[in-house]
Every structure is written in structure tokens, then in C-alpha cells.
Amino acid sequence: MATKTVTETIKTFNDKTIIFYPNSHRYKYEGEKTYLVSPSSVTGVLDKSNQLLIWNDRLVTEFVAGLTKVEEGAEPKSFLGWEVQKMIEDALGQRKIKVEEAQEIGDVVHNYAERTAWAKTVGDPLPELPDLPEDTDENRAKHEQIMTGIQAFIRFEQENAIEYLDAERFVYSESHGVPYVGRFDAIIKVNGLRVLTDYKTSKGVYSSQKYQTAGYDLAMIDEYRDWE
């Protein structure tokens, strides 16, 4: 039996009808076949290879250094050819492992922040903290990182007198060459200043993230002339 496609119908501020596909997080005009672009899909094609190569080189170096490290006073280590080959293969696989781990941890932290924004906007109870699914060393390490991220988010709220004005805001623009749509996490007041907000769990703030929020901001100006 075919699975029914889940969709959501959205009316734009200028009365266009857009169909949203939550499972793929894509949008299209009603009756059209081509998907609309979004700030996140556009910034996703930016070249990030230089930063990734630097990070990958560091992961490989640290992994090999850990396996070949000799404690002070110990005999030097020697490796057979197949052991060296296996070490290289495992080292080159570290990027995939770390990306998947970071994605899993980031998704949980982002989800908590997203649900908190919605709850505080509509007056619902705050979300519960995530549980440790199984008591293993790997899960404990992940859970510790998740809780560190959530605690940082809560601390940010407390230290900056955060007030939530809206959550999960849909935006649409057709004033900048190509029509585009998107959905950002919240509109908040930070120490009294109104701010468009899209949560990120990366360690730094990157150009692609700035471009993405700039796209949301331009769409907000189209819809609400007093947003500037």
C-alpha cells in the first residue's frame, strides 16, 4: 500500500498558495511541479571545502597520533603492513563518524531550543530534558554533550532576558529576482532588542549562516514593512 504524502497548505501575505512537504522540508506553488528555493538550500551549495579539508586533516592526524603514541620509557611500537593499512582506513573514516555524531547531538539540542521557543510563545509547558536511552559509555558521552548544549541555551536565555514573540515563522519573498520561501525558528527580544532567530549548534558562526538569516530578514521586510 502506498504511503500518503503529508502536506500543509500555506497562504502567503500576498495571497499565493504554497504547498509544504514536511518530510522533505520543501515547498512548491499549488499546481506546480518545481520546488521553490529556500535560503537554506541556496547556502547549502556554498563551497566549504577549505574548512572541511583542514578539519579532516586534523582528525586524521589526531587519530593516527593516538594509535602510535609511545609512553615515556616504553618500547617504540612497530606495525605490520596490514595494520598500517587498517589504521589509514580507520583514520580516513573519522570524518563520517564525527559528522554523524555531531548531527545526532545537534538535532537533539536544536529540537529542545525549537520546542522551548514554541512553548514560551503559546504558553505551553516547557519541554522535558532528553533521557539517556541506554546506559553505555558512548551514550553517556553523547548525553553529556547534549546537556552541555541545552545548558548553554538556557544560560543564554537567562543572561539576556529573552522574550519570545513568535516561533516557527514562515516567510516568502518574490522581490529579489527569484521567489523563495523558508521557515526560521523564532522572533525574540534580546535585552529589549527585537531579533530574527535561527538556532545553530555549530561551534562557530559561518558566512552561510549569515546569508541564510539575511534571506529570512529580506523576506520579513517584504511582508512587514515596519520590520527594518
Side-chain angles (χ1 to χ4, degrees), residues 42-156:
V42 171
T43 57
V45 303
L46 292 173
D47 182 15
K48 308 179 185 71
S49 58
N50 186 52
Q51 296 95 321
L52 288 174
L53 286 172
I54 294 171
W55 178 58
N56 188 67
D57 289 347
R58 179 173 59 79
L59 286 177
V60 170
T61 301
E62 290 176 352
F63 182 81
V64 173
L67 293 179
T68 58
K69 181 180 179 181
V70 178
E71 299 296 334
E72 187 175 351
E75 291 291 326
K77 293 181 179 180
S78 60
F79 299 90
L80 298 175
W82 70 267
E83 291 177 312
V84 173
Q85 182 177 350
K86 180 69 164 55
M87 186 188 305
I88 293 171
E89 290 174 354
D90 290 345
L92 294 175
Q94 289 304 297
R95 182 175 70 86
K96 183 175 184 293
I97 293 172
K98 296 299 182 183
V99 166
E100 289 176 351
E101 287 179 353
Q103 184 68 51
E104 182 182 349
I105 293 166
D107 284 349
V108 177
V109 175
H110 186 278
N111 181 259
Y112 179 85
E114 198 174 55
R115 288 187 296 127
T116 297
W118 181 259
K120 290 191 175 183
T121 299
V122 302
D124 282 351
L126 292 178
E128 295 183 359
L129 295 175
D131 294 324
L132 181 63
E134 186 180 348
D135 193 15
T136 64
D137 289 342
E138 182 182 5
N139 280 340
R140 279 195 295 272
K142 287 181 181 178
H143 194 258
E144 183 177 343
Q145 293 180 66
I146 288 170
M147 294 309 298
T148 297
I150 290 175
Q151 287 165 2
F153 168 71
I154 294 172
R155 190 163 55 249
F156 167 76

Side-chain angles (χ1 to χ4, degrees), residues 166-219:
D166 198 4
E168 287 296 296
R169 170 62 70 91
F170 170 84
V171 289
Y172 169 78
S173 175
E174 54 185 39
S175 303
H176 306 283
V178 177
Y180 67 88
V181 296
R183 196 186 296 265
F184 60 89
D185 290 322
I187 299 174
I188 63 177
K189 278 190 176 180
V190 182
N191 296 318
L193 179 65
R194 188 175 59 171
V195 178
L196 180 155
T197 305
D198 201 57
Y199 298 124
K200 304 297 179 186
T201 56
S202 55
K203 290 185 177 179
V205 178
Y206 303 106
S207 296
S208 59
Q209 297 165 350
K210 296 177 182 179
Y211 298 149
Q212 183 181 353
T213 51
Y216 295 143
D217 189 58
L218 289 172

